Amino acid sequence: MGKCKFWTLRSNFQGQAKLSDFQLVEEDIPTNLKDGELVCEALYLSVDPYMRLFSDWSEVGKPVVGEQVARVTDSKNAKYPVGSVIRLSSGWRSHTHVKDVSTIDVMPELGDLPLSLTLGVMGMPGMTAYFTLLDVLKIKKGETLLVSGAAGAVGSLAGQIGKIMGCTVIGFAGTNAKVKWLKELGFDHAFNYKTEDVGKSIDRVAPDGVHCYCDMVGGEISFQVIKRMRDHGRMVVLGSISTYNNSTETTGPYLFSDILTKSLTITGFIIFNIREKWHIGEKQMAEWIKEGKLKYKETITNGFEHMPEAFLGLFSGENTGKAVVKA
């Protein structure tokens, strides 16, 4: 009988997450499956900033939440025979006993694209970028779009989609190398928020203000952007990575007067709420990649045993593009 390995929380995070918060556990892989059940083995696993927030609500001892792409190794389900490749949200597990196949996601049509993209451009980050710009912000040609966390899995795609739609795109990232990459992707302006003044940078390249803001980080950067948004500007909050590791509640500065006087629209958006529409975005993203309009990077960590390190690297800026673990 084989063993399944899975990562759990040894204790809930207190401020900055650390390696000692995680524990690797083993259990037997079931062999006597019931009709309709299957077992799969992870091929690629996703690590994403949202897992830090979700883990605050997770039960200690349970697998850390997350998506993976896996291959079926044992099956009593005709729809998913041995060898099938599936995408599912089963957490940080090397093997998964699937009792309810409704938890399995429909795989996108990849063609000759890498399988790992089902967790990136063709997965949650790509769909977040696509539907944020087209359905939520309803971006228009000629507008100015600002993206924070612009070198990450979502931000790098959002900026490129903005360019495809005919916008002027501004991006902020945390290293000079990432800024260089953003310019290679076609961003009109890119800045290192650690070495350049955010407000002054925006004033210089967008003196009339910003129409749309795609926010991944929250905190001080978002404060500076909101102060510089145009009347009737639109902002989508996709994350707040700058605050996830705060050990105490923070308050202010308060920007309600700016929101009021500029008639701003601020929307929180979670892509899992519209999973039934993913096939639309997946098809378009694949076409843009094949046409050379959309580029991507992956930061791949080898080895299931390194899941925590890959996750913690998200908060120290070690990834460019999508962070993925190859099991």
Side-chain angles (χ1 to χ4, degrees):
M1 181 179 291
K3 294 289 185 180
C4 166
K5 297 180 180 180
F6 60 95
W7 284 100
T8 72
L9 292 180
R10 179 180 281 117
S11 58
N12 290 116
F13 302 132
Q14 299 295 323
Q16 181 74 41
K18 52 190 182 299
L19 288 177
S20 60
D21 292 329
F22 299 92
Q23 182 174 10
L24 187 60
V25 179
E26 289 189 355
E27 65 182 11
D28 292 334
I29 299 173
T31 55
N32 297 317
L33 301 182
K34 296 178 181 179
D35 288 344
E37 296 183 348
L38 56 93
V39 172
C40 58
E41 181 178 16
L43 301 174
Y44 293 95
L45 301 101
S46 182
V47 287
D48 301 283
Y50 80 84
M51 295 173 182
R52 171 64 179 82
L53 188 62
F54 276 43
S55 294
D56 285 341
W57 311 323
S58 299
E59 184 179 343
V60 171
K62 298 292 184 180
V64 180
V65 299
E67 287 187 298
Q68 64 172 256
V69 176
R71 178 174 288 113
V72 177
T73 57
D74 192 7
S75 176
K76 283 194 174 182
N77 189 304
K79 185 177 180 180
Y80 300 101
V82 172
S84 302
V85 177
I86 61 177
R87 180 175 60 187
L88 69 165
S89 297
S90 58
W92 293 12
R93 303 180 64 93
S94 66
H95 298 75
T96 303
H97 178 198
V98 181
K99 300 178 182 180
D100 180 4
V101 295
S102 67
T103 61
I104 297 175
D105 294 335
V106 176
M107 286 285 286
E109 294 292 334
L110 286 171
D112 58 358
L113 296 175
L115 186 60
S116 56
L117 293 193
T118 56
L119 299 175
V121 181
M122 304 290 288
M124 180 274 291
M127 297 308 96
T128 299
Y130 179 86
F131 288 105
T132 290
L133 266 68
L134 275 71
D135 281 15
V136 186
L137 287 175
K138 300 185 187 301
I139 201 83
K140 301 180 182 69
K141 182 178 180 180
E143 292 187 321
T144 298
L145 168 70
L146 192 146
V147 183
S148 61
V154 177
S156 59
L157 299 173
Q160 292 182 80
I161 294 172
K163 290 303 301 177
I164 291 171
M165 303 303 292
C167 298
T168 297
V169 179
I170 305 166
F172 284 91
T175 70
N176 290 337
K178 291 179 179 180
V179 167
K180 181 176 182 292
W181 181 56
L182 293 180
K183 292 179 179 178
E184 292 172 359
L185 294 180
F187 280 60
D188 296 281
H189 310 284
F191 303 99
N192 183 342
Y193 69 87
K194 294 181 180 178
T195 59
E196 299 193 55
D197 185 287
V198 172
K200 291 179 180 179
S201 297
I202 300 171
D203 290 339
R204 186 165 67 252
V205 300
D208 296 325
V210 174
H211 294 93
C212 293
Y213 177 32
C214 188
D215 180 25
M216 245 74 61
V217 303
E220 177 64 20
I221 292 178
S222 292
F223 169 78
Q224 296 295 339
V225 177
I226 291 173
K227 299 289 286 185
R228 290 163 174 81
M229 293 190 73
R230 293 192 182 206
D231 289 352
H232 304 287
R234 291 105 68 201
M235 170 180 173
V236 175
V237 179
L238 301 172
S240 185
I241 193 172
S242 69
T243 66
Y244 288 165
N245 288 320
N246 289 353
S247 56
T248 58
E249 292 290 336
T250 57
T251 59
Y254 299 110
L255 294 169
F256 300 115
S257 61
D258 295 89
I259 297 169
L260 173 62
T261 58
K262 296 181 180 182
S263 299
L264 302 182
T265 298
I266 301 178
T267 307
F269 181 54
I270 297 176
I271 190 61
F272 296 116
N273 291 336
I274 59 165
R275 191 180 286 275
E276 72 280 359
K277 296 179 64 175
W278 283 26
H279 67 282
I280 300 171
E282 289 167 341
K283 181 179 179 180
Q284 182 61 79
M285 297 294 269
E287 290 179 2
W288 281 337
I289 293 172
K290 292 172 183 176
E291 293 169 356
K293 295 179 179 179
L294 199 67
K295 300 177 182 178
Y296 63 88
K297 273 190 179 181
E298 296 178 299
T299 299
I300 297 180
T301 300
N302 290 309
F304 180 77
E305 66 275 16
H306 296 302
M307 289 288 298
E309 290 95 332
F311 172 70
L312 296 179
L314 297 171
F315 300 93
S316 55
E318 294 180 19
N319 68 297
T320 299
K322 180 71 184 82
V324 178
V325 174
K326 184 177 182 181

